[in-house]
Amino acid sequence: MSELVTGEAVALELRPARLPSRGLATLLDLVVAFTAYVVVSVVVVVTTASLDDAAQIALSIATFLLVLVGGPIAVETLSHGRSLGKMACGLRVVRDDGGPIRFRHALVRGAIGVVEILLTLGVVACIASLVSARGRRLGDVFAGTLVVRERVPAARSGFVPPPPPWLAGRFQGLDLSAVPDGLWLAVRQYLGRMGQLDPQVGWAMAVRLAGELAACTGVPVPQGVPPAAYLAAVVQERQVREARRAFGGGPVAVPVVGAGGAAMAYGPPAAAHVPPVVAGGGAPEEPAVDRSSGPGTGFAPPA
């Protein structure tokens, strides 16, 4: 099994698709696209038989660009990375940080795909996919995307814990547009693996990531909020916004249970003073924490 790994040596639970499954998905997409191209071309030839040769050539070129280039771009944009072939093979195109692609990503992939798939019969795409450690073709490299497998065993998928209930919806007004994708990726990796880290290392990493995130948003971490809880709340807010954009702005369910199905009791912040996280990643002094409320959740600093 192949996984994505960040600079912190934390595995991301997205399985990059390999050449056989990608090749089959691309073949299915090409069959559909060429079938549509033939149908549209026949209709254009029949309806423009009275035009001169120059006009017919121009219409032929326009039909080629519209159906074989514009069609796949439109499908990937509207379906958020799932063309017909990818749906059949259980694949999806995502950004490097695991988020849904947008029009600019599909445009770059489609434009470069004309050369490495259509004009070279897929030879360039196959070579690039074999050379790449994550099976990416040139269009994925320039667009900053990755084709991943969606059909993976549920028991092996990662779990990013939700924030404490008292933080739900607290960061709705936060401006997240300046946060780079690389920082989102590092935060998600930390939240998914913080239970496996040494407490001291995990606390220091949470402080650093919370400081960097606060510096990008321009708003400091609220007083009394543990850095890991702050990270989880902001990531959840971003996921809610992405889901609203993807599904038309409807209501989005917020997870409140753990991986095992039991409710996660985080409770309010400890009564003891917890120094604020310094924007930019500065480490605070060792705080005193009341642990009488129950077992640790990973959102409290180590002893």
Side-chain angles (χ1 to χ4, degrees), residues 176-279:
L176 305 179
S177 59
V179 182
D181 290 342
L183 181 56
W184 284 124
L185 178 59
V187 170
R188 289 179 55 191
Q189 301 296 348
Y190 166 75
L191 292 175
R193 292 293 184 267
M194 64 181 181
Q196 304 173 12
L197 300 175
D198 177 81
Q200 296 287 347
V201 175
W203 174 253
M205 186 179 296
V207 169
R208 178 177 62 82
L209 291 174
E212 293 179 4
L213 190 57
C216 292
T217 60
V219 179
V221 180
Q223 290 277 354
V225 177
Y230 167 77
L231 294 174
V234 176
V235 167
Q236 184 185 78
E237 175 60 30
R238 189 203 186 204
Q239 292 174 343
V240 169
R241 296 182 188 181
E242 292 281 1
R244 285 173 179 166
R245 282 196 293 265
F247 301 108
V252 178
V254 178
V256 294
V257 297
M264 300 182 70
Y266 294 115
H273 172 68
V274 178
V277 178
V278 180

Side-chain angles (χ1 to χ4, degrees), residues 27-225:
L27 181 61
L28 294 175
D29 289 334
L30 289 177
V31 169
V32 174
F34 274 103
T35 301
Y37 175 69
V38 170
V39 173
V40 174
S41 297
V42 171
V43 173
V44 170
V45 169
V46 172
T47 57
T48 61
S50 59
L51 299 179
D52 56 16
D53 293 340
Q56 290 182 354
I57 293 175
L59 286 174
S60 299
I61 297 175
T63 302
F64 174 84
L65 294 176
L66 179 64
V67 177
L68 294 182
V69 180
I73 293 175
V75 169
E76 282 197 353
T77 302
L78 297 176
S79 64
H80 300 284
R82 297 186 69 195
S83 62
L84 294 177
K86 290 181 176 61
M87 284 192 292
C89 297
L91 308 180
R92 180 191 286 271
V93 182
V94 297
R95 301 195 306 259
D96 280 340
D97 68 336
I101 66 171
R102 299 190 176 97
F103 172 73
R104 66 175 184 272
H105 304 101
L107 178 62
V108 174
R109 295 185 80 254
I112 299 180
V114 173
V115 177
E116 62 173 339
I117 295 178
L118 295 180
L119 299 185
T120 63
L121 301 179
V123 174
V124 174
C126 290
I127 295 175
S129 182
L130 289 173
V131 172
S132 172
R134 294 187 289 177
R136 302 201 299 176
R137 64 178 178 88
L138 295 180
D140 293 314
V141 174
F142 285 99
T145 58
L146 178 70
V147 180
V148 298
R149 295 163 47 199
E150 288 191 307
R151 298 172 186 169
V152 294
R156 302 179 71 176
S157 61
F159 169 70
V160 177
W166 50 273
L167 280 180
R170 184 169 177 177
F171 301 103
Q172 292 181 355
L174 204 62
D175 181 12
L176 305 179
S177 59
V179 182
D181 290 342
L183 181 56
W184 284 124
L185 178 59
V187 170
R188 289 179 55 191
Q189 301 296 348
Y190 166 75
L191 292 175
R193 292 293 184 267
M194 64 181 181
Q196 304 173 12
L197 300 175
D198 177 81
Q200 296 287 347
V201 175
W203 174 253
M205 186 179 296
V207 169
R208 178 177 62 82
L209 291 174
E212 293 179 4
L213 190 57
C216 292
T217 60
V219 179
V221 180
Q223 290 277 354
V225 177

